[in-house]
């Protein structure tokens, strides 16, 4: 059910004094586009849990507003986010089976940091500041065009 043997966790390449110190997930081996990187299970959190206040759990439904939250196994909680279309991984969610698989979206070198775009990045209140950072270039680009 759970296999994260090809991933390890260490301090993220994105952490620094300004952003704070935090961990990230990294490739323990090289991956080719389409390879399965990790698979795991999701444990649903109790009804009434508010995932908008906790960045360490997963949105676990397609319902909006979301009311179903989960705690992921393995290294999945350590994958940091990035702008849409730039991630080197994608998570396939099997909501009805409470499991997930993470695949390479392109070739990934050993020791590269693994990133995926959080599906709730733009609307979860706990990600507001992170969303602003991830999309900072978008607003700068728009003001340059004006």
């Amino acid at each position: 059910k759970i296999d994260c043997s090809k991933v390890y966790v260490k301090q993220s390449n994105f952490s620094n004094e300004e952003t704070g110190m935090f961990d990230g997930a990294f490739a323990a081996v090289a991956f080719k586009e389409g390879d399965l990187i990790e698979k795991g299970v999701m444990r649903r959190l109790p009804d009434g849990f508010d995932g908008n206040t906790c960045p360490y759990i997963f949105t676990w439904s397609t319902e909006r507003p979301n009311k179903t939250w989960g705690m992921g196994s393995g290294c999945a909680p350590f994958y940091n986010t990035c702008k849409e279309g730039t991630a080197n991984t994608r998570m396939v969610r099997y909501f009805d089976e409470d499991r997930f698989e993470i695949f390479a979206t392109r070739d990934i070198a050993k020791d590269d940091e693994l990133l995926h775009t959080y599906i709730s990045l733009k609307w979860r209140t706990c990600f507001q500041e992170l969303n602003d950072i991830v999309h900072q270039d978008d607003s700068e680009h728009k003001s340059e065009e004006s």
Side-chain angles (χ1 to χ4, degrees):
K1 287 187 172 186
I2 300 170
D3 184 0
C4 57
S5 61
K6 298 175 184 174
V7 180
Y8 65 94
V9 175
K10 70 172 190 172
Q11 184 176 318
S12 173
N13 295 331
F14 299 101
S15 70
N16 56 51
E17 288 182 19
E18 185 180 337
T19 62
M21 305 313 265
F22 55 91
D23 293 327
F26 291 81
V29 300
F31 294 101
K32 294 289 185 192
E33 181 178 348
D35 283 354
L36 176 66
I37 296 172
E38 178 173 356
K39 65 180 180 177
V41 297
M42 196 65 59
R43 292 293 180 232
R44 291 176 188 241
L45 296 171
D47 288 343
F49 185 89
D50 184 4
N52 286 300
T53 63
C54 182
Y56 304 111
I57 51 106
F58 291 81
T59 303
W60 201 244
S61 77
T62 56
E63 179 184 34
R64 300 295 177 264
N66 186 69
K67 296 177 187 144
T68 307
W69 307 97
M71 184 173 57
S73 67
C75 296
F78 296 96
Y79 286 59
N80 289 310
T81 196
C82 58
K83 193 182 302 185
E84 299 83 357
T86 64
N88 58 6
T89 73
R90 67 180 172 84
M91 178 183 275
V92 177
R93 296 159 177 85
Y94 301 95
F95 296 122
D96 58 333
E97 300 174 31
D98 288 335
R99 67 182 185 91
F100 63 87
E101 295 175 334
I102 299 174
F103 293 92
T105 59
R106 60 176 177 261
D107 291 354
I108 300 171
K110 181 181 184 288
D111 299 319
D112 277 358
E113 187 160 3
L114 302 171
L115 304 170
H116 78 99
T117 303
Y118 301 164
I119 61 172
S120 57
L121 178 62
K122 290 187 176 182
W123 56 264
R124 269 174 74 184
T125 53
C126 62
F127 290 150
Q128 185 173 5
E129 185 177 338
L130 180 59
N131 184 47
D132 291 344
I133 292 167
V134 167
H135 292 96
Q136 184 176 14
D137 293 342
D138 294 352
S139 60
E140 289 175 4
H141 181 69
K142 287 177 186 171
S143 63
E144 288 173 5
E145 290 178 346
S146 301

